[in-house]
Amino acid sequence: MTDDIKVQDAGTADKVKLAVAIVIALAGVAGYYALADQAIWLRWVAVVVGLVVAAAIVAFSRYGTEFRRFVELARIELRKVTWPTRDETLKTTAVVFVFVALAGVFFWVLDLVLAWATRTLTGTGG
């Protein structure tokens, strides 16, 4: 069963909200540099306030609504995941480590053989 997701274009008001939020976030960052002669905490307050206000504006737009919906659906899907047991995780990790070690040894031996063959055929090398 598939869910039909209908994507609706954001309206003009939502686009304006997004543009205003971007401008406010940039103003917060600009405030950090404009307050260069102030205390560092005050400069960071300007950045945080700009980002929080921008996030609040976006939250009340279609973009914020769609993001919240995405997070809700992701949480629902996350609950459907069957997580491995501790024993399965340890066994899988051990298998991965063994194969990594075997691959490392294989490529090390292959490198030695190819280096020997190259020295033998070309007569160069150490």
Side-chain angles (χ1 to χ4, degrees):
M1 182 174 159
T2 61
D3 294 329
D4 291 334
I5 298 175
K6 296 181 181 178
V7 178
Q8 293 179 341
D9 188 26
T12 304
D14 289 322
K15 290 178 182 177
V16 170
K17 287 178 187 177
L18 182 62
V20 168
I22 290 171
V23 169
I24 290 175
L26 291 175
V29 173
Y32 178 86
Y33 294 104
L35 299 172
D37 56 343
Q38 300 296 321
I40 190 72
W41 68 268
L42 186 60
R43 296 171 72 189
W44 279 108
V45 166
V47 173
V48 170
V49 168
L51 292 177
V52 167
V53 171
I57 291 171
V58 170
F60 291 105
S61 69
R62 174 172 296 283
Y63 299 109
T65 305
E66 290 297 322
F67 180 73
R68 282 191 302 276
R69 184 168 184 261
F70 169 76
V71 170
E72 290 170 5
L73 292 175
R75 290 183 69 200
I76 290 170
E77 289 300 318
L78 192 58
R79 284 188 222 122
K80 295 178 183 178
V81 172
T82 304
W83 296 101
T85 64
R86 180 178 175 85
D87 188 49
E88 290 171 334
T89 303
L90 291 174
K91 286 180 181 178
T92 304
T93 303
V95 168
V96 169
F97 279 133
V98 167
F99 277 101
V100 166
L102 288 174
V105 170
F106 169 76
F107 286 115
W108 175 63
V109 170
L110 180 64
D111 182 55
L112 289 176
V113 169
L114 291 175
W116 170 81
T118 301
R119 280 194 307 272
T120 303
L121 293 173
T122 61
T124 60

